[in-house]
Amino acid sequence: MTFLYPYFLFSSILVFIPIIIHLFHFRNFKTVYFSNIDFLLQINNEKRSYSKIKHLLVLLSRILVILALVIAFSQPYIPAENTNKLFEQTEICIYIDNSFSMNANSSYGQLSEVAKNKAYEIVTAFPEASKFSLITNDFEKQHASWNNSTQIIKYLGQIQQSPNVKKTSKIIEYAKNLFSDDDKINKQLFLISDFQKSTSDFLNMKADTSLAISMIPIANQQTNNLYIDSCWFESPVHSFNRTDNFFVRIVNFSEENYQKIPLKLSINDEQKTILSFDITANEKKIIPISYTNTQKGFIDGKIEITDYPIIYDNTFYFSYQISEKITVLALSESANKNIQALFEDDTNFEFTSMELKNIQLSQLHSTNCIIIDEISKLSSGLIFELNTFIKNGGTLLLIPAADSDIPSYNRLFDELETNKFVKKTEKTTSINEINTNHLLYKYVFEELKNQTELPALNYYYSIEKQHLKNKEILLQEISGDPILSSSDIEKGRIYTFTIPLSPEENDFSMHPIFVPTIYNIALYSQSSSQLYYTIGLDHSIILEKVKFVSELLKIRKKEQDFDFIPTVIANQQSRSIQIILENQITKADIYYIKDNENPLKNIAFNYDRKESDLSHFTSNEIEAFLNDRSLNNMTLYDNQKQSIVSQIEQQAKGYPLWKYFIFASILFLLLEILLIRFLKA
């Protein structure tokens, strides 16, 4: 124990005052006349020892009253570690959680306002000469610079709600980069947050003696929340006048059951369907929706539910594109009439058949799907272009010829790092297994399951048995050798037949399986883009197969009340561009990427759903974690027991004891009164 004003202890000499009074306080006896001495016999004699004890107890209580008051005015305290360093050459960094969850209410008001008040208390607890910096989930540069208390208080008033979500460990890592490298300067970080379980990654925190971290939890009142968590399609490819199977995941973060909650789906600002659903307490429910695409081009989707008081997660946006035409280019030595007949009358496709001698290699990169239709030998130039085409996102269907030059085909397979042809295996066999789990056959299995006979084969090209992760067998013959397989190569895909498809070689092209196989390979060659992006997580967008981008490329909100010019990085080799967003999109909605007002792509942005889970760590849980992990540089501030200012002073000066001595002096004074009042002679 140490004293803030030790010289005041000299006042303890005042204890001699009651001692002198007790030693020199002589009694004045008074003569009492009695008419009859017999009355004195009724008076009990006071014992001398009893009277002496009473006087000593009264004396002791008076001495203790004086000593307790003297010690109290001497300001005793238990010294803290690094005593008084907190106010000497200190850099104070304050983090305020301004995410959506801080809009919830507590017993003291809205959490965001409570957090600002706590930050204000912290600033005023330090001398005006102290240096301050401020951190929010936006990581604003102007806040990160070191400022005086006046400027920081001004910034506190300007803090707005933010869709950005940051892990607690990322906040600490960011703050460490703000502090100076001078070891003589005391570094203090205050974290003011509701400490949601979804963002408070305490397991990633490590002890750091160079930085003192103080956690100030602000607990919210238990709030129910029903929200849209995510959505997805059964198929990544969308086609005109075809039905899409769509799924929505709803989460009920509450202890209540809900019935007949309406859910609305809108496509291009027109209500597509509305339905209702029931959901039990704490349930995650997947709701299926089917609808038909009746429009081409850019498709903007929106899902809506109704729930209060948390409303930012009641709406979910998504977007995709249905091509006006899917371009298919068939390269052959002589045209396959069956393939040509499959596409030429279909308005969804733009089919081109080209003989090998007339090939223009520049045309390859502007098409969705290339069919190598029974070409005997692949030239080195064609191999190079096909390799580039696939890796940049194209789809290649490879159909070998009856007399294929295996080495030339294998050179292509080497470039793509996929399985090679071994030899031509001549034997009578047939296809006996179809991979109905693959997207290619998933929706046509009902038509094929009643077929008792599958195509018969006279020969096929054997493929090496080396196992590759990105390879999947779609059709195989009786002995297990693949007849059709697919391999994902970087951004693109290759489908490889091991048989020719001409009617002279086998009856595959005459079998019902032929049409869905070729048709779906071409259909799914459309580039499927990301259905939606998350604000604060997705920082860039890739556009594939872009011909030209001017300097006037913009990203504009659908309502056209907001736009900005992003940073663009072009890749001429892959014919793609990377668009850097730099956190400029802060509101959930549909946005359009435009080149000179010409729309290139529609993109949907949603708020991070981590904020929708309102469960948070309690003060006891945080304290237990800090103790278990031995994070001695981290301190938990208790908002219930003491003000922030008092706790900061306690951290700087130590634990004060003067209140206890004031309380003790009052107790001793009461003791003296009780002794005099009830302990009579």
Side-chain angles (χ1 to χ4, degrees):
M1 184 173 69
T2 308
F3 296 93
L4 188 63
Y5 305 109
Y7 295 106
F8 205 87
L9 293 174
F10 288 113
S11 300
S12 58
I13 196 173
L14 295 174
V15 299
F16 288 105
I17 295 176
I19 294 174
I20 293 173
I21 291 174
H22 276 266
L23 289 177
F24 297 98
H25 179 65
F26 299 102
R27 296 188 175 186
N28 296 320
F29 294 99
K30 182 179 180 181
T31 303
V32 180
Y33 296 96
F34 291 91
S35 59
N36 189 345
I37 197 171
D38 291 336
F39 286 107
L40 296 177
L41 299 176
Q42 299 177 11
I43 301 174
N44 294 322
N45 294 322
E46 183 180 21
K47 295 181 180 179
R48 184 178 298 275
S49 59
Y50 182 84
S51 178
K52 187 176 182 180
I53 291 173
K54 174 186 174 182
H55 287 292
L56 289 175
L57 289 175
V58 172
L59 173 62
L60 179 62
S61 63
R62 290 174 178 173
I63 291 173
L64 291 175
V65 168
I66 295 174
L67 287 177
L69 287 173
V70 169
I71 295 175
F73 282 103
S74 300
Q75 295 281 325
Y77 64 92
I78 298 175
E81 295 182 8
N82 301 322
T83 303
N84 294 329
K85 284 188 177 180
L86 192 62
F87 291 139
E88 298 176 4
Q89 293 184 319
T90 301
E91 293 176 345
I92 304 104
C93 184
I94 304 173
Y95 163 68
I96 293 183
D97 185 355
N98 63 331
S99 60
F100 285 140
S101 66
M102 296 294 284
N103 284 333
N105 292 320
S106 71
S107 55
Y108 300 100
Q110 193 177 55
L111 296 186
S112 58
E113 293 303 318
V114 175
K116 292 179 185 178
N117 291 335
K118 297 294 182 186
Y120 178 80
E121 290 180 28
I122 293 170
V123 173
T124 55
F126 288 88
E128 292 186 3
S130 301
K131 294 192 296 183
F132 298 89
S133 67
L134 183 64
I135 301 176
T136 64
N137 290 343
D138 300 316
F139 285 173
E140 293 190 38
K141 293 181 179 178
Q142 64 172 354
H143 293 168
S145 58
W146 294 103
N147 300 277
N148 57 30
S149 58
T150 303
Q151 186 63 47
I152 286 296
I153 291 173
K154 178 181 177 181
Y155 286 152
L156 288 176
Q158 297 172 352
I159 294 177
Q160 300 293 326
Q161 176 186 22
S162 171
N164 293 317
V165 180
K166 295 291 190 297
K167 295 281 189 181
T168 306
S169 61
K170 295 295 182 183
I171 298 294
I172 295 175
E173 183 180 343
Y174 179 80
K176 286 181 179 179
N177 295 327
L178 301 181
F179 290 106
S180 62
D181 297 329
D182 191 348
D183 294 334
K184 296 180 180 179
I185 295 179
N186 186 49
K187 304 173 183 66
Q188 181 79 19
L189 171 62
F190 291 90
L191 302 176
I192 309 175
S193 172
D194 56 355
F195 291 104
Q196 284 181 275
K197 292 183 178 180
S198 59
T199 57
S200 301
D201 54 339
F202 292 136
L203 291 175
N204 294 328
M205 298 182 190
K206 298 179 181 179
D208 185 355
T209 56
S210 66
L211 176 63
I213 301 175
S214 300
M215 297 184 177
I216 306 175
I218 305 175
N220 59 21
Q221 294 175 338
Q222 183 61 38
T223 304
N224 295 339
N225 191 20
L226 184 71
Y227 64 93
I228 304 173
D229 177 72
S230 56
C231 68
W232 66 94
F233 286 93
E234 190 171 41
S235 169
V237 176
H238 313 276
S239 302
F240 179 65
N241 277 338
R242 283 204 169 192
T243 300
D244 267 334
N245 295 319
F246 184 60
F247 300 92
V248 181
R249 179 183 282 114
I250 306 292
V251 177
N252 181 10
F253 181 76
S254 75
E255 300 298 329
E256 297 183 14
N257 299 328
Y258 293 98
Q259 290 80 35
K260 300 189 181 304
I261 300 297
L263 184 147
K264 184 170 69 172
L265 170 65
S266 300
I267 300 294
N268 287 349
D269 298 325
E270 294 181 2
Q271 183 174 305
K272 199 73 173 179
T273 183
I274 186 169
L275 51 85
S276 62
F277 64 92
D278 300 336
I279 189 168
T280 58
N282 297 309
E283 181 186 2
K284 296 180 180 179
K285 187 166 190 173
I286 297 175
I287 301 174
I289 304 173
S290 295
Y291 68 93
T292 302
N293 288 300
T294 57
Q295 302 177 57
K296 291 185 177 181
F298 300 111
I299 307 298
D300 304 328
K302 181 170 69 172
I303 318 160
E304 296 174 277
I305 61 172
T306 302
D307 177 59
Y308 294 98
I310 308 298
I311 61 173
Y312 70 86
D313 49 15
N314 292 349
T315 304
F316 205 94
Y317 297 93
F318 63 94
S319 65
Y320 57 91
Q321 189 173 355
I322 297 179
S323 302
E324 294 289 337
K325 296 282 186 179
I326 302 171
T327 54
V328 180
L329 175 63
L331 301 177
S332 62
E333 293 173 345
S334 60
N336 187 318
K337 294 182 180 179
N338 290 329
I339 294 178
Q340 188 170 350
L342 183 62
F343 294 108
E344 62 182 1
D345 294 328
D346 195 321
T347 57
N348 289 320
F349 295 92
E350 182 181 326
F351 179 79
T352 304
S353 180
M354 186 179 297
E355 292 187 10
L356 188 60
K357 60 183 179 181
N358 298 324
I359 186 174
Q360 296 180 9
L361 297 179
S362 60
Q363 288 183 280
L364 302 183
H365 301 287
S366 59
T367 188
N368 297 111
C369 179
I370 296 176
I371 301 175
I372 299 297
D373 185 16
E374 301 186 24
I375 295 177
S376 300
K377 185 176 182 179
L378 305 179
S379 66
S380 58
L382 180 59
I383 290 173
F384 175 80
E385 295 296 336
L386 292 177
N387 178 42
T388 304
F389 169 76
I390 294 173
K391 291 181 177 179
N392 288 341
T395 297
L396 174 65
L397 170 57
L398 189 62
I399 306 171
D403 57 345
S404 292
D405 178 54
I406 292 179
S408 69
Y409 276 76
N410 284 343
R411 282 195 293 272
L412 174 62
F413 296 144
D414 282 335
E415 291 291 334
L416 299 175
E417 298 181 355
T418 187
N419 299 81
K420 297 184 289 186
F421 287 163
V422 177
K423 63 178 181 177
K424 185 177 183 180
T425 301
E426 297 191 15
K427 69 174 183 178
T428 302
T429 184
S430 65
I431 296 173
N432 80 322
E433 188 172 336
I434 302 173
N435 185 355
T436 54
N437 292 322
H438 192 274
L439 186 63
L440 214 60
Y441 296 114
K442 193 169 186 178
Y443 306 109
V444 298
F445 179 63
E446 291 296 327
E447 302 173 18
L448 298 174
K449 68 178 181 179
N450 295 324
Q451 295 290 333
T452 56
E453 293 184 5
L454 291 173
L457 310 173
N458 297 318
Y459 63 87
Y460 60 89
Y461 290 93
S462 300
I463 291 181
E464 62 183 1
K465 301 296 184 181
Q466 180 185 1
H467 176 71
L468 296 177
K469 291 189 210 176
N470 58 356
K471 180 179 178 179
E472 193 169 2
I473 297 175
L474 310 182
L475 300 174
Q476 66 181 23
E477 55 87 44
I478 295 174
S479 61
D481 286 334
I483 300 302
L484 174 63
S485 61
S486 70
S487 298
D488 294 330
I489 312 295
E490 294 187 9
K491 299 176 184 177
R493 177 175 295 178
I494 178 174
Y495 293 90
T496 305
F497 272 102
T498 59
I499 58 172
L501 300 186
S502 57
E504 296 81 11
E505 304 300 330
N506 54 62
D507 62 352
F508 186 93
S509 61
M510 309 303 294
H511 194 278
I513 199 175
F514 169 79
V515 173
T517 300
I518 306 302
Y519 189 90
N520 285 342
I521 288 174
L523 179 65
Y524 296 138
S525 66
Q526 300 178 76
S527 57
S528 57
S529 58
Q530 194 166 323
L531 194 60
Y532 57 85
Y533 297 86
T534 302
I535 295 174
L537 294 182
D538 296 299
H539 305 292
S540 65
I541 297 172
I542 304 294
L543 293 186
E544 305 286 354
K545 299 181 180 179
V546 180
K547 294 181 180 180
F548 175 74
V549 177
S550 70
E551 296 180 355
L552 298 178
L553 188 142
K554 291 183 179 180
I555 294 181
R556 178 171 293 173
K557 195 177 175 184
K558 188 175 182 179
E559 285 77 7
Q560 298 191 3
D561 58 349
F562 168 78
D563 62 17
F564 66 96
I565 299 175
T567 302
V568 177
I569 302 175
N571 188 327
Q572 298 296 335
Q573 184 177 359
S574 64
R575 297 170 59 85
S576 65
I577 60 171
Q578 181 181 13
I579 300 174
I580 310 299
L581 301 176
E582 297 175 339
N583 290 325
Q584 297 196 64
I585 294 179
T586 59
K587 292 186 177 181
D589 210 322
I590 301 292
Y591 294 80
Y592 276 79
I593 301 174
K594 293 192 173 185
D595 180 20
N596 244 341
E597 299 303 320
N598 176 42
L600 299 177
K601 185 177 177 61
N602 56 335
I603 51 177
F605 275 86
N606 294 294
Y607 298 124
D608 196 332
R609 262 35 184 186
K610 290 189 186 73
E611 288 293 295
S612 299
D613 183 352
L614 300 178
S615 59
H616 61 275
F617 288 106
T618 64
S619 296
N620 292 336
E621 289 174 329
I622 297 174
E623 187 172 16
F625 177 83
L626 297 181
N627 294 332
D628 292 342
R629 299 273 293 177
S630 299
L631 298 174
N632 299 324
N633 66 313
M634 298 186 183
T635 306
L636 179 68
Y637 277 26
D638 193 335
N639 297 317
Q640 304 297 326
K641 296 180 180 179
Q642 263 184 312
S643 68
I644 297 297
V645 174
S646 299
Q647 293 180 75
I648 292 175
E649 291 179 349
Q650 178 178 315
Q651 185 180 357
K653 301 176 183 177
Y655 189 77
L657 302 174
W658 63 270
K659 293 180 182 178
Y660 297 102
F661 285 95
I662 291 289
F663 183 69
S665 66
I666 295 173
L667 287 179
F668 293 138
L669 186 60
L670 290 174
L671 178 62
E672 179 188 353
I673 295 172
L674 292 174
L675 289 171
I676 296 173
R677 177 70 177 83
F678 295 104
L679 198 60
K680 295 183 177 180

